[in-house]
Amino acid sequence: MQLDSSTLWLTMLGIGVGTFLMRFSFIWLFGQGEVRPAIQRVLRLVPASVLSALIMPSFVFSQQAAFSIGNYRMWAGVVAAVVAWRSRNVLLTIAAGMGTLWLCSFLWPV
Amino acid sequence: MLSHEKPGARISNTFQGVKQTVPRYERSNRMPNRKNAFLGGAKATVPILFGVIPFALIAGISAIGVGFTQLEALGMSYIVFAGAAQLAAVDLIGQHASMPVIVLTALIINLRFCMYSASLAPHFKGLPLYWRGPLAYLLTDQTFAVCITAYVAGRQSFKHWYYLGAASTMWVTWQAGTAAGVFLGTRIPKSWALDFAIPLTFLALLFTVLKDRPAIVAAVSAGALALAGHDLPYNLGLFMAAIGGVVAGSLAFRGGKNAA
């Protein structure tokens, strides 16, 4: 970890205060001014975009070369994606991904 | 069922102690009161907890995994109290991202709370600030879903107590789960690669939000852009990908409309 302790606390405080202000925003302003449907539609796309942008590099760029057979995290990601798609279950997805990663590293240690 | 057009007015009436009729949704013959509104919210939250507990465990385990002290890991759950943002922050801290990048990413993930806040606001009209402030702090995806469903189904009285019951159940579970994760995290060896549980958790969440074509287009574009921009400095690739995904998804909305 690169951040020192005080920077880390500041980071958490920044996230906490900013998040609180967003949670409080309309509840505070008595709900005058609803969010326009067009903006709501765009906001609804944010989680899909951010989540996908966050995870793709962690599956493709691990210690092993990207898109190589030895990149177990990528294979584990593929298995987990299928499980997530079929089951919509967080626990099962984690189990499938971690299981695949452990199994590959056990069978073919790098 | 009573009028729907001014939900806020009902709350202020409750507040001044004006007598309420027993709404139909109350399956018991007791008068609605604080206690059974609170318990109703808590009860509706319990089934959701099975999805929340592993998430909270991971939040604790992974924070320890990237080098947080126990106090820092627990502190984050109290201060931020938002799972996806916490995990993203931990993930980025582990990748040595800079502070502005971490804060900005977490806040972008939490933008959805503005939307929830707007939907809930009419139901909390007339409540004093010392109620609305804590209710806002406790807002999560799960509590929003539980409460807005109950309000739309016709709950008229003690809405804030119902919300408090749902939200405090979530809060206690989240803090206990994080604490358990912190405890486990200090005992699990690095070779288990538990940091990998974060992208896996996000992957599961991603599939729950892929409900229509624009969302799928957004996710696919954002993922491709994130890979393409991986080598850019200051995690610019991440922001480029997030913005690109939203733009591509919005275009898919329009494309769909033209086709129809």
Side-chain angles (χ1 to χ4, degrees), chain A residues 4-75:
Chain A
D4 57 84
S5 184
S6 53
T7 318
L8 178 61
W9 282 106
L10 257 176
T11 306
M12 296 195 289
L13 218 63
I15 298 172
V17 170
T19 300
F20 175 74
L21 289 178
M22 291 193 283
R23 284 168 161 154
F24 202 25
S25 55
F26 288 91
I27 292 177
W28 187 25
L29 303 168
F30 298 115
Q32 287 141 14
E34 294 283 305
V35 179
R36 300 222 314 268
I39 297 176
Q40 272 192 38
R41 252 187 357 212
V42 171
L43 280 179
R44 211 163 282 150
L45 294 172
V46 172
S49 305
V50 176
L51 289 175
S52 180
L54 273 171
I55 62 179
M56 285 313 279
S58 26
F59 289 129
V60 174
F61 302 106
S62 63
Q63 285 92 338
Q64 305 307 314
F67 299 111
S68 71
I69 293 183
N71 185 0
Y72 300 150
R73 291 195 171 209
M74 190 174 71
W75 298 116

Side-chain angles (χ1 to χ4, degrees), chain B residues 7-8 11 119-125 127 148 151-152 155 159-160:
Chain B
I11 274 212
S119 323
L120 286 170
H123 300 284
F124 296 152
K125 237 181 213 171
L127 285 178
I148 208 74
Y151 299 161
V152 169
R155 171 168 282 276
K159 289 180 181 176
H160 49 309

Side-chain angles (χ1 to χ4, degrees), chain B residues 143-205:
Chain B
T143 296
F144 170 73
V146 164
C147 291
I148 208 74
T149 313
Y151 299 161
V152 169
R155 171 168 282 276
Q156 297 288 339
S157 54
F158 298 105
K159 289 180 181 176
H160 49 309
W161 282 96
Y162 186 87
Y163 180 103
L164 190 65
S168 53
T169 306
M170 275 295 295
W171 190 86
V172 169
T173 307
W174 184 255
Q175 306 306 347
T178 312
V182 166
F183 179 81
L184 286 173
T186 52
R187 279 155 190 82
I188 293 175
K190 273 239 157 151
S191 60
W192 286 27
L194 272 181
D195 61 304
F196 192 53
I198 299 183
L200 290 173
T201 312
F202 281 158
L203 186 68
L205 292 182

Side-chain angles (χ1 to χ4, degrees), chain B residues 8 13 26 34 44 48 97 115 147 149-150 152-153 186 194 216 233 237 245 249 256-257 260:
Chain B
N13 285 351
E26 289 285 347
R34 291 169 184 193
I48 299 176
M115 212 163 68
C147 291
T149 313
V152 169
T186 52
L194 272 181
I216 295 170
K257 234 188 268 164

